Structures are given as structure tokens and as C-alpha cells.
Amino acid sequence: MRTRERGLRRGAAVLGGAAATLLLLAGCGGQSEGEAPAQGYERLKSPGVTVDFPAEWKAQSEAERPEAADAAAVLERDGRQLGKISVVLKYDDSRDAERAAASALGDHELQSKIEKFKDYSVSGTDDGQRINYSFEGTGAAGAPPKGESVNGVDVVGTDKSGETFLVRINAAESALSPDELEKVVETVKVVDTE
């Protein structure tokens, strides 16, 4: 009887340990891309960082996107670019999200109103920062209409190799409401480099 109980306990311990190991492996280590994007969204991929965007937007090819961007997507309507997402890897040499965010902040000083600058939890990394900003459309050719409110978020962090990255997302309110913008921001994820 005692031998049987010991055998049952040992078997339960082994199964429990295996289950715990699987949970640890699932929760720790490198992040993969995980689940598919939500319905109506597509995934913008770069080596190490992904972000999901509404399907109405269009991912840009290497020839179409700015030279500094490792991935980009835009929303264009009636000849105007109403929204843009860009991913920049190896954003600076600091290897520190807070310092990199300070650099990103400098991009907005003259033309934007800074709403927030704070620590931010980015899936896949412990080192994240966030800058919320807004500005008004200029009405220039290809830009949002004059006076239209444009909201933006910069997500800055360090990737799996310790390099900094910047995901810059901005859109006219007619293209993305603040809540919709937030949904995009929440999809930023640091993943293993393929």
C-alpha cells in the first residue's frame, strides 16, 4: 500500500513539475509573434519588433518607406496621408529606453504639444517609454487638412539584443479615434529576431 502511494505521489509530482515547466517556457524566454492580428488588422513586421495596424492602411515596401525606417505603413485618402506608423531599429546608441525617448522627444519640440512622457510596459521587454503628442494638420499637399487634430504616440524600448527601437504612430482624428490609436499602440511587441 505504501509503495503504491509513493508511486502515485511521485507520478503526480512529475506531472506537476512538467506542467510547471511548460508554463514557465510559455511565459518566459523569447516572445514569438504569438496570436494572429485581431480581425480587421494586419501585422507590420521588422526584425525584432512588430505592431498591428488597421487593414485599411497599407504597408510600405523598402523603396516606398523613409530610409531610416525598417518597416512602415500609411493611410492615404483622397491624396492625403492621414496616418503613418514607422518602426526604427537601432534608434540610437544609448541601449537605454529613457535616453532614447529623450532623443525622440526632441523631434517634437517645435511642432507638437507633448501630452505625456512616461514609463510604458511593452510586451517582450522590461525597458519601455511612451510619448503622447498632438499637432494640427498644416493643409500642405499630401498632409492632413489644415487645423485637423493629429494624435501621435512614440513607443521606445530595447529589443532582445539590447538595442533601442522607436515605433512612431500618428493619425488624424478622422482616420483613427484616440481609442483606435490606443488599440494600435497596445499591439507593439518585442519578438525574437528570425
Side-chain angles (χ1 to χ4, degrees):
M1 194 76 161
R2 284 184 184 168
T3 306
R4 185 169 182 236
E5 283 179 14
R6 257 187 259 144
L8 288 172
R9 281 190 199 141
R10 192 174 295 136
V14 169
L15 286 174
T21 302
L22 286 173
L23 285 172
L24 282 171
L25 288 172
C28 298
Q31 293 269 336
S32 65
E33 285 185 38
E35 298 175 7
Q39 186 173 0
Y41 283 75
E42 294 182 21
R43 182 154 294 155
L44 187 61
K45 300 177 185 178
S46 68
V49 179
T50 64
V51 59
D52 297 348
F53 60 94
E56 182 185 3
W57 295 44
K58 176 184 174 276
Q60 292 185 308
S61 68
E62 186 175 355
E64 294 171 313
R65 65 183 182 243
E67 190 176 339
D70 294 278
V74 296
L75 173 65
E76 293 179 344
R77 287 184 190 151
D78 302 322
R80 292 187 179 275
Q81 190 179 101
L82 298 181
K84 184 163 190 173
I85 300 171
S86 56
V87 179
V88 180
L89 305 175
K90 296 184 180 179
Y91 177 63
D92 72 0
D93 297 327
S94 70
R95 300 179 73 85
D96 177 85
E98 192 169 351
R99 288 184 185 176
S103 296
L105 195 60
D107 294 343
H108 304 298
E109 283 180 342
L110 297 177
Q111 66 243 50
S112 304
K113 177 183 175 187
I114 304 303
E115 312 285 349
K116 291 180 193 172
F117 180 19
K118 63 177 186 176
D119 290 346
Y120 183 64
S121 178
V122 180
S123 179
T125 182
D126 295 327
D127 191 16
Q129 295 282 318
R130 173 179 175 152
I131 304 166
N132 284 45
Y133 58 94
S134 62
F135 58 92
E136 288 189 356
T138 63
K146 186 172 178 61
E148 180 164 6
S149 182
V150 179
N151 297 311
V153 177
D154 283 359
V155 177
V156 183
T158 53
D159 63 18
K160 298 294 182 188
S161 63
E163 301 280 0
T164 58
F165 67 85
L166 164 69
V167 179
R168 178 162 287 162
I169 308 159
N170 56 62
E173 282 196 2
S174 63
L176 275 187
S177 71
D179 286 346
E180 290 168 328
L181 177 64
E182 189 62 27
K183 285 181 186 176
V184 173
V185 172
E186 288 172 358
T187 69
V188 175
K189 182 182 286 188
V190 174
V191 298
D192 289 326
T193 305
E194 293 178 3

